[in-house]
Amino acid sequence: MSLAIGAYFFLIAFFLAHLEIQIEGPHGWAEKLPTWRWGGPGGRRWFAKPVTGYHVCLVTLILLCVHLPQLYAGSWEREADLLAMFFLLTVTWDFLWFVCNRHFGVGRFRKGQIWWFPTWTLGVPRPYLLLIALSLCAGLAPALWTGMWVDRARHWSMVFSELLALTVIVTAITLQLRRRVPAAARGVQSSAKVKPK
């Protein structure tokens, strides 16, 4: 069951990344979209980037869709699983945006190249690590009342590993395809002409 869930959430992440690439193009974090932005000191202190109407609506829609099973047979354990998957989905979807975006790519996925991720740890944006930690906490939470720590940890680890493996595979395929097709044919300017975000 865990492998099917991981594959399903990976497909959601993959298509969300491509949908956002179609909407945003080379301009991440809704930089050029006609959406409201809350970028005051309060928003920057909590999120380190402006909060946009686009992201609030998209994340809310995804949370509503992910929680559909709760309408049929809701439980606290299922809620924990859904939240754990949502946090992993968010990290996977976001990273795939960089991997699959012909205007960006993995080569520019580093500190100083992504204005909406100013803080990095262990070579990744710090929010990724926070979301992975939140996912693990949500995944283990039911063990507080069931005592099934090992089973919960095994289930979470299996899904996390599957999402990671599928992401690595898509990244490798994407890099291989990009090496075969010249940048000009992909519609990408040379790196000297591309403005950093």
Side-chain angles (χ1 to χ4, degrees):
M1 184 67 175
S2 295
L3 291 177
I5 290 171
Y8 183 73
F9 273 84
F10 181 82
L11 280 175
I12 293 171
F14 182 81
F15 284 104
L16 279 171
H18 280 81
L19 175 65
E20 276 208 306
I21 291 166
Q22 297 302 312
I23 293 170
E24 295 177 316
H27 308 288
W29 204 254
E31 185 177 29
K32 302 286 185 183
L33 296 183
T35 182
W36 60 260
R37 286 172 177 70
W38 178 51
R44 296 271 181 176
R45 182 174 56 246
W46 285 99
F47 302 105
K49 56 192 162 209
V51 176
T52 71
Y54 167 74
H55 288 99
V56 168
C57 291
L58 184 58
V59 168
T60 302
L61 176 63
I62 294 163
L63 276 169
L64 288 171
C65 291
V66 165
H67 279 83
L68 183 63
Q70 286 289 70
L71 297 177
Y72 295 103
S75 71
W76 287 110
E77 190 169 339
R78 177 173 284 159
E79 178 65 23
D81 289 338
L82 291 172
L83 287 176
M85 288 307 308
F86 171 75
F87 293 132
L88 289 180
L89 166 73
T90 304
V91 173
T92 307
W93 147 38
D94 194 76
F95 181 70
L96 287 174
W97 183 91
F98 295 101
V99 169
C100 299
N101 192 331
R102 67 188 177 98
H103 300 288
F104 208 88
V106 172
R108 289 178 56 204
F109 186 75
R110 60 183 180 273
K111 187 174 183 176
Q113 292 290 312
I114 308 166
W115 66 264
W116 59 96
F117 285 137
T119 56
W120 290 60
T121 303
L122 303 174
V124 297
R126 199 169 293 160
Y128 283 18
L129 299 177
L130 174 64
L131 288 167
I132 291 169
L134 286 172
S135 174
L136 179 59
C137 289
L140 293 178
L144 291 170
W145 59 86
T146 65
M148 299 177 69
W149 292 97
V150 174
D151 289 341
R152 300 291 305 173
R154 186 180 304 127
H155 173 76
W156 184 88
S157 298
M158 187 183 309
V159 173
F160 174 78
S161 298
E162 182 181 12
L163 286 171
L164 183 61
L166 290 170
T167 301
V168 168
I169 290 168
V170 167
T171 302
I173 291 170
T174 303
L175 289 172
Q176 186 68 3
L177 291 173
R178 291 215 174 119
R179 285 188 191 111
R180 291 182 185 169
V181 180
R186 291 191 317 261
V188 179
Q189 300 171 334
S190 70
S191 58
K193 294 180 182 177
V194 176
K195 289 191 247 177
K197 293 170 109 177

